């Protein structure tokens, strides 16, 4: 394989920034490396020239993340997704800061203490796809987005959200013969207690049981034959009726399952189990947006904190939105809300009002809220949530492979 030289620029306010990193990159024949003094904001229009003329920009973050966020947004507007941008952050940068930077368009947030070897690995991982033959690489742009639904306690409304999120992703209510706007797959990875089948009057599906038992990796044909395809365009992989140990499924199998689905569908909505298993790792890696459903009670907030720590341990830039279930969005948030948001280092962003009648009607009929209770506040709240996330995912770079 021929490897062309890649150019890297480090933007740093320090006069002698990261000497070890600089020396290692200068010595590496694969790269043309230069340093620019200043902050990303101080570069003004020059940053977009640097982005046009370099394959990768490394920049040292400012103490005030908002300033960097503005600069990154401006840079992305001018330069699109052409250059890879990596942030080097100090100890003061929080998880929430890292997420803000990622949302603005940064491809990765790395610790300033990163060793030259680790940095080299991060850089070559991000530059590699561009130096491989396009025909050999899957088209990253056409990969479906993965939305993962997690719950801070049992019975909180996570499956209700997964089912209706997938339903609204399909697009407007259409005539029977019309095709849906998007291809959407809904996957019940709550293998032992999954209830998507009862929410949608679908048959339990033994495919995931079979995979757990025989250890094979699913391919496109297996999945297409295993999934139940609904007339409205939704494809569902329900949980099996037979019980298998949760850890019988292997990370490699789940990774392949998601890879295949991402190639076949525009969106893959995953309902997670309320348990921590090894195969969560590939799900988290592929996730473009996680929705963590909770309520504002102390036990739920405490559990949510633990889960966020677990989910982000190896996925620092995983974007987790909080969805407060069974609560109408308050005009003014109470103190317990403010404290919950502070403890969880992110806003209580989406709210799903309590609506037992609508929820019950939908479950009893085995149809989504859009059919059973279209004008209910609950259906409208889910629809709003989907519209927001869909718009944000359309803008965002594909996080799945980038946050590895
Ligand atoms: N906002 C709501 N208002 C009223 N009822 C709701 C609401 N959201 C969900 N429900 C109902 O609460 C019950 C539990 O919901 P769901 O199964 O979605 O929760 P879960 O978090 O997935 O639970 P599990 O721990 O069983 O996976 C269901 O009967 C559902 O219809
Ligand atoms: Mg559930």
């Amino acid at each position: 394989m021929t490897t062309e030289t890649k150019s890297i620029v480090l933007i740093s306010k320090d006069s002698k920034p990261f000497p070890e990193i600089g020396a290692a990159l200068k010595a590496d024949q694969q790269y043309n490396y230069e340093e620019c003094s200043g902050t990303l904001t101080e570069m003004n229009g020059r940053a977009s020239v640097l982005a046009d003329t370099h394959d990768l920009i490394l920049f040292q973050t400012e103490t005030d993340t908002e300033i960097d966020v503005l600069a990154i947004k401006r840079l992305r507007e001018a330069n699109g997704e052409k250059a890879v941008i990596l942030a080097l952050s100090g100890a003061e940068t929080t998880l929430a800061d890292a997420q803000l930077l990622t949302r603005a368009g940064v491809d990765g947030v790395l610790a300033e203490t990163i060793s030259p070897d680790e940095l080299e690995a991060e850089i070559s991982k991000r530059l590699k796809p561009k130096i491989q033959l396009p025909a050999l690489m899957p088209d990253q742009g056409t990969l479906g987005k993965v939305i993962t639904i997690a719950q801070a306690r049992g019975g909180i409304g996570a499956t209700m959200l997964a089912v209706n999120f997938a339903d609204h992703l399909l697009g407007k209510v259409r005539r029977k013969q019309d095709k849906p706007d998007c291809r959407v797959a809904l996957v019940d990875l709550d293998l032992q207690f999954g209830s998507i089948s009862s929410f949608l009057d679908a048959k339990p599906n033994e495919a995931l049981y079979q995979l757990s038992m025989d250890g094979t990796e699913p391919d496109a044909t297996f999945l297409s034959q295993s999934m139940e395809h609904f007339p409205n365009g939704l494809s569902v992989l329900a949980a099996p009726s037979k019980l298998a140990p949760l850890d019988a499924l292997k990370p490699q199998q789940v990774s392949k399952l998601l890879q295949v689905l991402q190639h076949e569908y525009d969106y893959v909505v995953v309902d997670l189990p309320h348990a921590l298993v090894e195969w969560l790792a590939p799900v988290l890696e592929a996730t473009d947006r996680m929705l963590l459903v909770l309520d504002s009670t102390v036990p739920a907030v405490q559990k949510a904190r633990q889960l966020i720590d677990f989910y982000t341990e190896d996925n620092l830039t995983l974007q987790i939105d909080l969805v407060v279930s069974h609560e109408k969005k308050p005009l003014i948030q109470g103190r317990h809300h403010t404290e919950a948001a502070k403890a969880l280092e992110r806003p209580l962003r989406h709210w799903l009002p309590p609506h037992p009648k609508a929820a019950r009607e939908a479950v009893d009929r085995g149809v989504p809220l859009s059919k059973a209770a279209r004008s209910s506040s609950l259906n409208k709240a889910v629809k709003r949530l989907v519209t927001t996330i869909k718009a944000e995912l359309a803008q965002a770079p594909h996080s799945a492979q980038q946050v590895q």
Side-chain angles (χ1 to χ4, degrees), residues 296 298 301 330 332-343 348 351:
S296 55
V298 171
V301 172
I332 300 169
Q333 293 193 11
R335 213 169 126 215
H336 63 298
H337 292 137
T338 327
E339 278 171 9
K342 201 168 151 205
L348 304 179
W351 301 74

Side-chain angles (χ1 to χ4, degrees), residues 151 153-160 190 195 199 325-326 352-356 359 363 378:
Q151 50 176 172
R153 70 163 172 84
I156 189 74
T159 302
M160 187 287 296
D190 190 359
S195 55
F199 271 81
S325 183
H326 295 272
L352 301 176
H355 204 316
V363 173
L378 184 55

